[in-house]
Amino acid sequence: MEVKLWNDKREREMLDSFADLYAIIKTTEKLEKAYVRDLVSSAEYEAECLKLIAQFKTLSFSLRDAVPSIDRFADAYKMDCPAALNRLLVSGVPATVEHRASSASATASSAAAVAECVQHFITAMDSLKLNMVAVDQVHPLLSDLSSSLAKLGGGILPPDFEGRVKVREWLARLAKMGAADELTEQQARQLHFDLESSYNAFMAALPNAGS
């Protein structure tokens, strides 16, 4: 006796769509594992993943009433596909695109931090040239410079970068003085020299500084 899985054309189409959804999730899981194991190139992975994500979005939208939860669908059919569900439901883009975005974001963030350091170095040196030598004028400038240098990770500046050390030493020295106290001419010249040498070392330490 033949057992019918559907009663009409609409039910048959629904079951076909379920099968397609199941196949997309399973295929995505296999693709994710293949990419992690370096069994496919980044270009092949990205092209195939984009296609699967597009198919998934189209199909899941058309099935939104019948399948309100993809997670429950996966549970119901005992699908152990965590990588696929993360890629299709959470990320929505191939891993290669995620990595590029992360790298670009880190690069942009580092560039902004470098620009901030340069600005604080120049402001501090210019202020000394303009004879702004009172403690309450110098301390905030060095404090800003110290904070901006601290934002730069070890990947850009070495942990023992001399500029960080010198700025901290000057801040400790200024902390022992009164707000209205002024640097002597000799102290101001030494601070300017330390800032200038630290700035030059900073520029030299930046990646690709010589290219």
Side-chain angles (χ1 to χ4, degrees):
M1 178 181 169
E2 186 180 343
V3 178
K4 276 196 172 184
L5 297 175
W6 58 84
N7 295 316
D8 54 32
K9 185 181 176 185
R10 186 170 170 276
E11 281 191 14
R12 177 177 178 173
E13 287 176 351
M14 182 72 70
L15 286 172
D16 283 345
S17 293
F18 281 7
D20 289 340
L21 182 59
Y22 183 95
I24 288 170
I25 295 172
K26 279 289 191 182
T27 303
T28 304
E29 183 72 17
K30 287 181 181 176
L31 181 64
E32 290 292 308
K33 287 179 178 176
Y35 175 63
V36 168
R37 292 169 186 163
D38 213 17
L39 299 176
V40 291
S41 70
S42 294
E44 289 172 325
Y45 162 80
E46 188 169 319
E48 189 62 29
C49 194
L50 284 169
K51 187 170 76 174
L52 287 166
I53 290 169
Q55 291 171 339
F56 171 77
K57 284 180 178 176
T58 301
L59 191 55
S60 59
F61 181 77
S62 66
L63 289 172
R64 64 190 181 282
D65 294 329
V67 186
S69 169
I70 300 296
D71 283 318
R72 267 188 248 153
F73 176 87
D75 286 341
Y77 289 95
K78 295 180 169 50
M79 302 177 74
D80 183 23
C81 300
L85 293 177
N86 176 69
R87 184 65 49 215
L88 298 170
L89 292 175
V90 181
S91 172
V93 295
T96 45
V97 174
E98 271 185 337
H99 299 159
R100 281 202 298 273
S102 175
S103 177
S105 175
T107 301
S109 176
S110 296
V114 167
E116 190 178 288
C117 287
V118 169
Q119 179 187 335
H120 289 313
F121 265 121
I122 292 172
T123 301
M125 288 188 288
D126 285 350
S127 298
L128 290 171
K129 286 177 185 174
L130 294 171
N131 205 36
M132 293 172 62
V133 292
V135 170
D136 59 359
Q137 292 174 317
V138 178
H139 191 281
L141 299 176
L142 294 186
S143 182
D144 287 343
L145 175 56
S146 182
S147 297
S148 61
L149 285 171
K151 288 179 189 175
L152 287 175
I156 295 177
L157 292 178
D160 58 347
F161 173 62
E162 65 172 287
R164 283 199 188 109
V165 177
K166 285 182 178 177
V167 171
R168 280 199 295 263
E169 286 174 352
W170 274 104
L171 283 170
R173 202 174 303 171
L174 293 173
K176 296 173 184 174
M177 299 169 66
D181 290 347
E182 292 188 352
L183 298 177
T184 64
E185 185 181 346
Q186 185 180 356
Q187 286 174 322
R189 283 183 67 178
Q190 185 62 47
L191 174 54
H192 188 277
F193 176 80
D194 287 346
L195 286 171
E196 194 168 36
S197 62
S198 296
Y199 175 70
N200 291 334
F202 173 78
M203 296 305 288
L206 294 180
N208 303 318
S211 62

